[in-house]
Amino acid sequence: MAKHQAEELFDAELADIPPEMRWREWMGRVEAVIFASPKPVGRETLVRVVGRDCSIDLLIADIRDELRGRPYELVSVAGGWQHRTKKSYAAAIRTATGLGGADSKALSQSESLVLLCIGYFQPITRAELGAVFGKEVSRDTIGHLRKLGFLAAGPRSPQPGAPYTYVTTPAFLSEFGFETLRDLPDFEKLEDAGLLSKERLLTGDIPLAGLGESDADDGSGDGADDESDDAVPKHAKLADGAAAGDNKAPSE
């Protein structure tokens, strides 16, 4: 009740003050809300503090103009906006604070390829992933990607047994700097650049250590994961679509 009353009392439109002052106040509100949030802030959230008649896109553009030359910027990611430090300051931040060093979410080669495949072909079942790679994809690999927050269960597939499908999450978009799935690198361009080959994926010609390791609970293997793989920076795995880290630390 108290929250509802506070929302009613909050003056989002600011109709009683001059236009220039109103615009400055809206810019301040939007930047403050985005700065205070630990995750990307969507349009509907910002509308609560500026009203529906205000152009969020123009506000964002003006805020970005004011941030030029600063060590951080306002980026569009995961369907919202977030402050992030610029890559060029990564070394300075790492030296001073240790942040942005060892990546707790670094993925193995096989995990990166599975995640990339799900990103392109979602919703997709584990069996369908196995068909793409020519070998079974471990439950442990899927489980680790889910534990990192990059995957979620999708709708059940209209196949016998109605298996669950897997889809990527907003955390996946945020981690790799994509605003939407449309920002994923063009598959054909990756092939043309020699970074990915659909034929090699389908024939299993790309080394995918760990993908064939199954889990004990389904009786098809020992459930070992991909820890023996060399951990490779995930941004390199997803080609050129990566972006900077979050608003507290650089990504590299």
Side-chain angles (χ1 to χ4, degrees):
M1 184 64 179
K3 179 180 178 182
H4 180 67
Q5 289 177 332
E7 290 177 347
E8 285 186 340
L9 294 173
F10 186 83
D11 183 5
E13 285 76 13
L14 300 176
D16 296 332
I17 64 176
E20 185 174 345
M21 290 180 61
R22 182 189 311 141
W23 191 258
R24 296 298 308 181
E25 174 63 19
W26 280 341
M27 287 176 62
R29 290 180 179 183
V30 166
E31 187 168 6
V33 170
I34 295 173
F35 187 86
S37 175
K39 58 184 180 182
V41 179
R43 185 179 300 273
E44 285 304 311
T45 298
L46 298 178
V47 165
R48 297 175 196 164
V49 296
V50 298
R52 294 198 172 277
D53 292 334
C54 175
S55 171
I56 300 292
D57 293 321
L58 291 179
L59 276 179
I60 294 294
D62 281 355
I63 293 171
R64 283 174 168 163
D65 282 342
E66 291 204 343
L67 292 179
R68 294 186 191 281
R70 306 299 300 170
Y72 49 89
E73 57 193 345
L74 193 58
V75 300
S76 301
V77 65
W81 292 276
Q82 188 173 39
H83 284 105
R84 296 193 172 187
T85 51
K86 295 180 179 177
K87 287 185 176 181
S88 57
Y89 293 94
I93 295 173
R94 189 164 51 245
T95 299
T97 67
L99 295 174
D103 190 347
S104 61
K105 293 186 177 181
L107 302 178
S108 68
Q109 182 186 42
S110 58
E111 289 170 340
S112 296
L113 288 173
V114 168
L115 185 58
L116 184 66
C117 187
I118 295 174
Y120 279 115
F121 304 119
Q122 62 187 299
I124 187 170
T125 67
R126 194 165 68 92
E128 290 170 334
L129 284 170
V132 170
F133 290 109
K135 57 186 70 176
E136 186 174 3
V137 174
S138 166
R139 289 180 186 275
D140 288 347
T141 297
I142 296 294
H144 187 224
L145 292 172
R146 293 193 64 175
K147 185 177 180 180
L148 293 175
F150 296 151
L151 294 184
R156 287 184 177 272
S157 173
Q159 300 175 7
Y164 278 109
T165 61
Y166 295 101
V167 296
T168 55
T169 65
F172 163 78
L173 296 175
S174 179
E175 182 71 12
F176 294 99
F178 300 127
E179 184 175 4
T180 72
L181 291 173
R182 290 190 294 274
D183 295 330
L184 278 170
D186 185 272
F187 199 95
E188 292 183 357
K189 288 183 178 178
L190 289 178
E191 287 188 296
D192 292 343
L195 297 174
L196 192 64
S197 166
K198 185 184 297 182
E199 290 184 357
R200 291 186 66 195
L201 274 177
L202 294 175
T203 59
D205 191 30
I206 294 178
L208 302 172
L211 282 182
E213 296 170 349
S214 306
D215 303 294
D217 62 352
D218 63 4
S220 57
D222 59 11
D225 203 354
D226 310 308
E227 295 179 357
S228 60
D229 294 347
D230 292 333
V232 184
K234 55 186 172 299
H235 293 170
K237 296 304 179 187
L238 290 178
D240 298 327
D246 59 24
N247 59 342
K248 300 299 189 296
S251 62
E252 59 183 17

